[in-house]
Amino acid sequence: MPLGYSWLVPSLYLIVPAFNEARVIQTTLRNLPARIAGVDDVTVVVIDDGSTDGTADEVRRTGDPRVVLLRHGINRGLGGALGTGLAYARRHGADFVITYDADGQHAPEDIETVLRPLVEGKADAVIGSRLLDPKGMPWYRIAGNWGLNVFTYVIFGMWTTDSQSGLRGFSRTAIEQVEIRMDRMEVSSEFIKEIRRCRLRFAEVPISAIYSDYSLAKGQRNLNAFNILIRLVLHRLMED
Amino acid sequence: MAIKLLAVLFTLVAIRRVVVRYRRGGALTVEFVMWFLIFSGIGVVVFIPHVTDRFAHWIGVSSGFNALTFLAISGLLYSVYRLLSRLQNVERDITRLVRAQAIDRAERVTPALDAPAPATPPPPPAK
């Protein structure tokens, strides 16, 4: 039995934050692998973050009993939704958590890539990095992401090649310690801060990104980077 | 002369708002007194500017105008800090409430009657 396995049935909670993703959420959920190596029990936690386009109904229509739907009464942002997913996973004693974007930009097979170091007990926090092999990534995205990587390093003192990646994995040790306080997009950098604060064993694995017109329109724009910078600075200044 | 007129108008409007808010029970007495003194102070100082020079000399600034500017900017920055801080706390509280409600009302998706069998067995109940 590899190091890190629970002698019980290891459980994975796949956290999928979704805000107005009615067009693609069914496809994203249906594309999730039926079985994931290393875990026997998979729960897909979709957090409908106050969507107004019927995202929740589309999630119900999948009819997939692995899916649990959590609905935010009002929009709280990416960080708010991820925090809700983590709180749910913590409450239900998840062994592993993976965060996964709802817009279809992740390759489903990368779930196993991110999960592997956790299951093998080699890391407590894993970032799926799109920039270790940025094939197909628009140049302006590469530039924007590198800028935010540098900024995250300056503010929080930890280097990662893809601080804004939506595909991340955490072991139970991490799930119990990581505290999410930021509500919006800046949460991606906050995860890096938390990995450092909690002194978690950290690994990066290369993942691919699927860029469709839809995911490019929904994802972070370079203009958002300035908002993220300002929020991160404010957070750093006003931390209590 | 125009600055005096503007200052008096501003003072009257501001004091009126302070009084109305206090009468409606929207402010504590201490808040009322503080804002009343601040706004009436503006109205008084514009007529006797040399008073501020004495104050400026006391705190080590060259003129009364510089001293007032320094104090005003410091006060404004502190107010912005307090506002942002409170806003952040309120946002956090809202998220906590929304989160608690979402988790309490978690719903497991049920398979449609005509749907094929699920790829994996449903997970066991919460530990």
Side-chain angles (χ1 to χ4, degrees):
Chain A
M1 185 178 284
L3 188 67
Y5 268 86
S6 163
W7 62 275
L8 291 166
V9 180
S11 60
L12 167 67
Y13 279 62
L14 206 57
I15 296 175
V16 186
F19 175 58
N20 287 342
E21 302 281 11
R23 262 179 66 191
V24 295
I25 190 75
Q26 277 215 40
T27 313
T28 301
L29 295 178
R30 285 188 201 285
N31 284 344
L32 292 175
R35 296 197 178 278
I36 297 173
V39 287
D40 298 319
D41 166 17
V42 178
T43 302
V44 181
V45 185
V46 179
I47 301 99
D48 173 19
D49 189 22
S51 299
T52 52
D53 66 346
T55 295
D57 293 332
E58 294 300 319
V59 172
R60 290 188 192 102
R61 272 188 206 115
T62 60
D64 184 343
R66 294 182 303 173
V67 176
V68 170
L69 176 63
L70 306 180
R71 299 192 69 190
H72 279 180
I74 51 172
N75 179 258
R76 298 310 301 149
L78 178 65
L82 286 170
T84 299
L86 266 179
Y88 184 82
R90 197 179 295 132
R91 184 182 284 195
H92 289 77
D95 290 308
F96 306 107
V97 155
I98 285 189
T99 64
Y100 191 87
D101 288 348
D103 61 7
Q105 73 154 282
H106 298 313
E109 57 272 20
D110 281 335
I111 293 173
E112 281 188 14
T113 311
V114 170
L115 186 63
R116 198 168 301 125
L118 302 171
V119 166
E120 290 173 354
K122 290 177 180 165
D124 289 313
V126 177
I127 300 285
S129 172
R130 300 159 298 177
L131 287 144
L132 286 173
D133 181 17
K135 247 181 281 167
M137 193 177 201
W139 67 268
Y140 53 88
R141 283 290 169 105
I142 296 176
N145 278 307
W146 275 102
L148 282 168
N149 292 344
V150 170
F151 198 77
T152 301
Y153 176 72
V154 170
I155 294 241
F156 297 129
M158 181 164 162
W159 176 253
T160 162
T161 58
D162 195 357
S163 60
Q164 306 305 302
S165 172
L167 189 53
R168 323 167 185 87
F170 300 99
S171 70
R172 183 187 283 220
T173 307
I175 297 164
E176 283 167 1
Q177 292 183 53
V178 165
E179 257 182 70
I180 293 304
R181 305 182 74 183
M182 297 185 188
D183 281 340
R184 308 285 162 187
M185 288 290 202
E186 64 277 13
V187 70
S188 300
S189 296
E190 189 182 24
F191 274 116
I192 308 300
K193 175 199 142 196
E194 285 296 289
I195 290 169
R196 183 168 189 254
R197 183 185 69 82
C198 303
R199 296 169 188 228
L200 299 171
R201 289 172 305 146
F202 173 63
E204 283 185 330
V205 290
I207 59 164
S208 50
I210 302 162
Y211 285 105
S212 61
D213 290 344
Y214 181 83
S215 70
L216 280 172
K218 287 287 290 191
Q220 282 188 30
R221 293 174 196 136
N222 278 1
L223 200 62
N224 286 346
F226 291 104
N227 287 335
I228 293 172
L229 297 188
I230 290 167
R231 283 172 185 273
L232 284 173
V233 170
L234 284 177
H235 176 82
R236 194 79 176 116
L237 290 174
M238 303 175 74
E239 258 177 327
D240 39 44
Chain B
M1 194 61 201
I3 184 73
K4 288 181 179 171
L5 193 64
L6 280 173
V8 169
L9 278 175
F10 169 78
T11 303
L12 289 175
V13 170
I15 286 178
R16 183 180 170 274
R17 284 194 72 103
V18 170
V19 172
V20 167
R21 186 161 175 258
Y22 180 64
R23 277 193 181 162
R24 285 182 184 160
L28 300 173
T29 306
V30 65
E31 288 175 58
F32 167 73
V33 172
M34 183 188 81
W35 287 112
F36 186 86
L37 287 177
I38 287 175
F39 288 130
S40 43
I42 292 171
V44 171
V45 156
V46 80
F47 286 99
I48 42 171
H50 58 274
V51 172
T52 60
D53 286 341
R54 253 183 264 160
F55 171 69
H57 180 72
W58 181 64
I59 65 167
V61 183
S62 59
S63 76
F65 180 76
N66 286 350
L68 282 182
T69 307
F70 171 77
L71 282 180
I73 290 175
S74 307
L76 283 173
L77 283 177
Y78 181 70
S79 306
V80 168
Y81 169 79
R82 295 277 302 167
L83 276 174
L84 282 174
S85 177
R86 291 194 77 162
L87 189 67
Q88 210 171 50
N89 290 341
V90 170
E91 290 261 355
R92 232 171 249 164
D93 289 345
I94 293 172
T95 300
R96 263 190 224 128
L97 279 172
V98 169
R99 179 167 296 154
Q101 193 186 48
I103 291 175
D104 285 348
R105 295 177 183 177
E107 50 179 297
R108 173 80 63 178
V109 170
T110 48
L113 290 175
D114 55 347
T120 52
K127 289 170 193 169

